[in-house]
Amino acid sequence: GGIPILVAACKSGTAKLKELAVTLIGRLNKDHPRIQRLVVEADGTLALLELIRSGTPLQKELASTTLGTLVVGHRENQTEAALGGAISELLMLARHGTNVVHVDHRPLCAAVRGEILAVEQHRPRGCQKCAAMTALGCLVGCHSDNQQQALDAGAAPLVLQVLMTSSTPQQKAAAAKLVAALCERNLGVQSALGSAGIIPPLLKMVESGSELEQEAASRALAALCAGHSGNRQLIASGGGTTAVDDLSKSAHPSKGAASLARLQIRPKFHELSSPRLTRAPVPVEHSPLHYLM
């Protein structure tokens, strides 16, 4: 019974109470499908979208992060959030949001059904743009309709701009993770992103980016070329095979992701003999949904 109370606080509480309620919802529903569904049934999606549209800067970031936990791995919630306009709202925030990292280590307390709950208000994890791109990745991951809708709404130019112009590793990594989620198990989106010029900046990140960038870019390349010979050729022609091989053989913390990319870049016999394959068989444990949040 506490979920409706928290959703109501998101709608009509004070600014601090809204921040606390959003944070609590995010903590409660993460990796918990039943609570994820209860939040949606209590109109939690609409409350979060309203904060993303018109909340304070911190509320927008917190609401984006919580929306990601609400839909990740939950197809029904993904569908309903997209129908409610979440894709366009998150793309708007990813384009025009702030680059400021909001940090406040003061604990917030609130009474829910007589119990006093204390939650660290916010940890420094990025910015509005990072939060929006991460939430969008959760919204489209393994959901072909949402992937196509995001692509049609301009996700490709957005991530390309971030990958090429952003000066922060966090934003570039968030964009690379979004690329992986957009094209996961979707050859049509893989083709569109490859044609949009996404691969060269990802290769540059693998070659000379930070640890955070290298891991995210390696996973994005793995998703882009899984079952897609055209993207494999683009990677090879850009020198990506050597860069990924070198990273996968090093002692670098990103070698695991690079090894995954290396396996996907190299063509597989069953794919060469099955040109009609429309979905790449990516193991569940390597899904972007398992490292987006």
Side-chain angles (χ1 to χ4, degrees):
I3 297 297
I5 297 174
L6 292 173
V7 173
C10 292
K11 295 178 179 179
S12 57
T14 63
K16 288 293 183 183
L17 186 57
K18 287 179 180 179
E19 293 166 9
L20 172 63
V22 169
T23 303
L24 282 173
I25 291 173
R27 298 276 181 93
L28 291 171
N29 67 33
K30 188 174 183 180
D31 300 324
H32 200 304
R34 178 55 183 160
I35 295 180
Q36 286 175 306
R37 193 61 204 156
L38 288 174
V39 174
V40 172
E41 291 173 352
D43 290 333
T45 304
L46 297 178
L48 292 173
L49 288 175
E50 182 58 32
L51 289 176
I52 291 172
R53 275 191 292 265
S54 57
T56 66
L58 179 56
Q59 288 170 2
K60 290 182 178 183
E61 183 178 347
L62 292 174
S64 297
T65 300
T66 296
L67 182 61
T69 67
L70 186 62
V71 300
V72 65
H74 199 299
R75 188 172 183 83
E76 190 175 2
N77 285 3
Q78 286 176 307
T79 299
E80 293 188 19
L83 290 174
I87 290 176
S88 60
E89 293 297 338
L90 290 172
L91 282 172
M92 183 70 70
L93 188 61
R95 290 190 186 100
H96 305 296
T98 65
N99 296 316
V100 177
V101 178
H102 299 283
V103 184
D104 189 346
H105 293 291
R106 294 172 299 171
L108 291 174
C109 298
V112 178
R113 285 187 171 270
E115 296 185 14
I116 302 297
L117 302 176
V119 179
E120 183 182 327
Q121 182 178 349
H122 191 59
R123 293 177 297 172
R125 59 175 75 185
C127 60
Q128 287 181 359
K129 292 181 178 180
C130 292
M133 286 188 285
T134 300
L136 187 58
C138 295
L139 185 58
V140 303
C142 298
H143 195 299
S144 59
D145 291 340
N146 287 1
Q147 288 168 332
Q148 188 61 50
Q149 185 178 338
L151 187 67
D152 294 341
L158 166 68
V159 294
L160 182 60
Q161 180 182 15
V162 174
L163 292 174
M164 296 185 69
T165 65
S166 177
S167 60
T168 66
Q170 292 84 358
Q171 287 187 20
K172 287 185 175 181
K177 291 178 182 181
L178 177 53
V179 169
L182 280 167
C183 65
E184 186 179 27
R185 307 183 192 184
N186 192 323
L187 288 183
V189 177
Q190 285 174 285
S191 297
L193 292 178
S195 300
I198 298 293
I199 290 175
L202 289 173
L203 292 177
K204 185 176 180 181
M205 289 169 62
V206 171
E207 293 171 354
S208 59
S210 65
E211 292 181 9
L212 187 66
E213 293 173 84
Q214 287 180 320
E215 180 173 359
S218 295
R219 292 184 180 276
L221 289 171
L224 278 166
C225 65
H228 197 290
S229 59
N231 284 351
R232 286 200 188 101
Q233 293 173 3
L234 289 174
I235 292 172
S237 64
T241 305
T242 301
V244 172
D245 281 351
D246 290 345
L247 185 59
S248 67
K249 295 174 183 177
S250 70
H252 198 277
S254 302
K255 66 176 296 183
S259 297
L260 172 62
R262 183 169 177 262
L263 288 173
Q264 294 294 351
I265 289 172
R266 299 183 183 280
K268 300 175 177 56
F269 176 79
H270 75 274
E271 291 172 353
L272 293 174
S273 60
S274 304
R276 294 184 180 181
L277 182 67
T278 57
R279 294 287 179 96
V282 180
V284 173
E285 62 269 21
H286 297 317
S287 166
L289 299 180
H290 291 264
Y291 69 92
L292 275 169
M293 299 307 299

